[in-house]
Amino acid sequence: MNPQSTAECRKLHDHIAAGTETAQTATVAGRIMLRRVQGKLAFATLQDAAGRIQLFAPAKVTPDYEGFCALSLGDWVRVSGLIMKTRTGELSVKVQEWEQLAQARRAFPDKWHGLADPDTRFRQRYVDLWVTDKARATFQMRSEMMSLTRRWLEDRDFMEVETPVFHPVPGGALAEPFSTHHNALGIDLFLRIAPELYLKRLVVGGFERVFEIARVFRNEGISTRHNPEFTMLELYWAYADYGDIMELVEELVAHLARLLQGTTHLSYQGRELDLTPPWPRRSFSELLAAHSGLDVNLRTPLDELRAHCTDRDISVQNHWGPGKLLLELYEKTTEPELWGPVFVCDYPKEVSPLAKDHSENPGWVERFEAIVAGRELANAFSELTDPDEQKARFEHQAAQKDVGDTEAMSVDRDYLRALEFGLPPTGGLGVGMDRLAMLLADVPNIRDVILFPTLRPESL
RNA sequence: GCCCCUCUAGCUCAACUGGCAGAGCAACGGACUCUUAAUCCGCAGGUUCUGGGUUCGAAUCCCAGGGGGGGUACCA
């Protein structure tokens, strides 16, 4: 028989008076978290996925009373008995039948302090989850966040799809991929760094609104904000542009904040964060000028841009053009000072090989990044749909790769062929869902929102 | 990659200036019929991350290695 959840018991019976007993029998199951045996009467605290409830076990009533008292902290049990409230008002299940379901053979972490060592928490998440309330709550929240996101997008006629994790040509982002090998085909494959190019192929195919919640893989450093595999929401919306995407992002994030936190006025790590739409829109150039104090643009002589970079301890590489130099200056001087939420709009074309040329500013593209709580939360653009222009951009990337840029893109010929069949004007978006979860759970480390973060293997 | 910090019983933590490695919880034995981290009595528990070195003596100081954390670089 399936047990009732402790939360349900509480909901149904919490109103009864102290010292009274209902006529109803409940069956609950979970782990023994605490135990207080006092001679002929024992109490235990049972925890299940939904919460905790007390077990009330008088020797007269409880079968194999000795055995019940001998249960270890961490043991799983199923208990049936009348719902009652103790004299002190604690809702309890009287132990009239019980059964041990699983044994905890390893010693229980300190029942008061729990687990403090982050290493143990991440490596033995199965322990962390049942002794650290905040960890359990965070992952439940994350699950709900994913579910709400899907529902919200589906309500707007977006269709969820799944595209390959193995890519013959890594693409869709500027990042170093992991590579692997398929024996039967005798080919090298790359784990995707972004699903972007496949999703846009689907728009070519006529799916006008698609999204994927994609696990992506980037062979880069690990930090409080980076895990080598992480979850990205990407969506593509035919007939939309990056302005429409901005509205979508602020609405989606505000919606999640309202439902998960009850408000759009959040506090993240002690600092206020107001996610109420609309979020400010600022141009990249304007912000760069304001924060760096520099009067620079794409026509500024290269030597001058390089000098500004060098002054700021940026190690300049020879093949960098003005766009890349401006981006470096922005990342050094401007981005760290932004808290947000803010949409940073219009990036240099040189660093945005998949975004559409800006309608008014040559050399720039219609792209934005959403900065929220000082971090890049989303990256989006009006997609580049012109196959000739895309080919030129790919070739420029490939040339960068040839001179040693390991993160540059390769030419994806099939993607170019797809564009030749016609991609309508399309707005595209990528959101770092792990970072969004960090924000909504108010946790400082990406490992707090990834169940099994990447760690060096333990030698057991 | 680089820099800084850290590692003591199953868990949480002590151990002064280099001088007998300890406590609480958990476990184990016992007492206890309304507890809430129950309480009380008793008992047991150690490669002080590993390996070297300095020293009469090392958890403590030095060197090398390993795990972890933070920062930094790259990036979402």
Side-chain angles (χ1 to χ4, degrees), chain A residues 192-334:
Chain A
R192 65 181 170 192
I193 53 176
E196 171 155 355
L197 299 182
Y198 283 94
L199 291 171
K200 284 191 276 193
R201 283 172 171 96
L202 294 178
V203 181
V204 171
F207 289 147
E208 295 171 347
R209 296 182 188 194
V210 292
F211 74 98
E212 180 166 12
I213 293 180
R215 187 71 63 87
V216 298
F217 309 86
R218 298 188 183 177
N219 207 339
E220 288 157 358
I222 294 179
S223 79
T224 50
R225 291 169 295 279
H226 302 268
N227 196 62
E229 52 178 307
F230 63 101
T231 303
M232 197 148 75
L233 164 68
E234 282 209 9
L235 69 81
Y236 293 85
W237 182 5
Y239 323 122
D241 67 11
Y242 76 148
D244 300 310
I245 301 283
M246 284 180 221
E247 286 175 26
L248 182 148
V249 169
E250 63 195 3
E251 287 302 332
L252 172 60
V253 172
H255 171 74
L256 295 174
R258 275 185 218 110
L259 284 168
L260 297 169
Q261 292 292 327
T263 173
T264 51
H265 296 268
L266 262 53
S267 146
Y268 182 70
Q269 300 294 292
R271 194 165 161 188
E272 259 183 60
L273 184 68
D274 182 3
L275 296 173
T276 314
W279 300 352
R281 275 82 166 148
R282 297 276 182 273
S283 83
F284 177 96
S285 305
E286 167 195 344
L287 288 169
L288 177 61
H291 289 267
S292 70
L294 296 171
D295 180 21
V296 288
N297 57 51
L298 290 173
R299 291 175 302 280
T300 306
L302 271 186
D303 288 347
E304 197 182 321
L305 290 176
R306 285 178 178 149
H308 287 312
C309 283
T310 311
D311 288 348
R312 286 162 183 77
D313 297 324
I314 298 165
S315 60
V316 175
Q317 295 182 31
N318 283 330
H319 60 274
W320 289 359
K324 174 66 173 169
L325 292 164
L326 288 181
L327 181 68
E328 290 289 326
L329 286 170
Y330 162 81
E331 285 178 352
K332 192 74 175 189
T333 63
T334 309

Side-chain angles (χ1 to χ4, degrees), chain A residues 368-427:
Chain A
F368 74 81
E369 286 191 356
I371 304 292
V372 182
R375 296 191 190 117
E376 242 172 89
L377 182 71
N379 183 22
F381 21 95
S382 302
E383 301 298 332
L384 175 57
T385 56
D386 182 300
D388 297 326
E389 173 67 13
Q390 184 66 74
K391 183 161 184 275
R393 303 262 194 105
F394 273 156
E395 280 164 358
H396 179 255
Q397 285 289 316
Q400 299 289 65
K401 203 179 192 81
D402 288 343
V403 296
D405 185 349
T406 54
E407 291 177 356
M409 289 182 188
S410 311
V411 180
D412 187 330
R413 296 189 187 287
D414 175 69
Y415 179 67
L416 291 173
R417 177 169 59 187
L419 290 186
E420 285 165 5
F421 281 100
L423 175 64
T426 297

Side-chain angles (χ1 to χ4, degrees), chain A residues 98-157:
Chain A
W98 70 275
E99 177 191 0
Q100 186 185 37
L101 301 176
Q103 194 187 1
R105 285 169 37 175
R106 287 178 180 261
F108 190 86
D110 189 284
K111 66 185 176 189
W112 185 242
H113 298 98
L115 282 180
D117 181 10
D119 184 28
T120 314
R121 290 192 49 221
F122 301 145
R123 288 190 194 278
Q124 300 178 37
R125 187 68 88 183
Y126 37 84
V127 179
D128 183 40
L129 287 174
W130 53 273
V131 301
T132 314
D133 293 342
K134 169 80 176 170
R136 200 167 45 248
T138 296
F139 288 107
Q140 283 164 344
M141 189 286 297
R142 180 181 172 133
S143 170
E144 212 175 325
M145 178 188 88
M146 290 298 181
S147 164
L148 288 169
T149 300
R150 285 193 163 92
R151 216 173 306 154
W152 192 87
L153 289 171
E154 285 159 2
D155 286 347
R156 281 154 189 78
D157 295 324

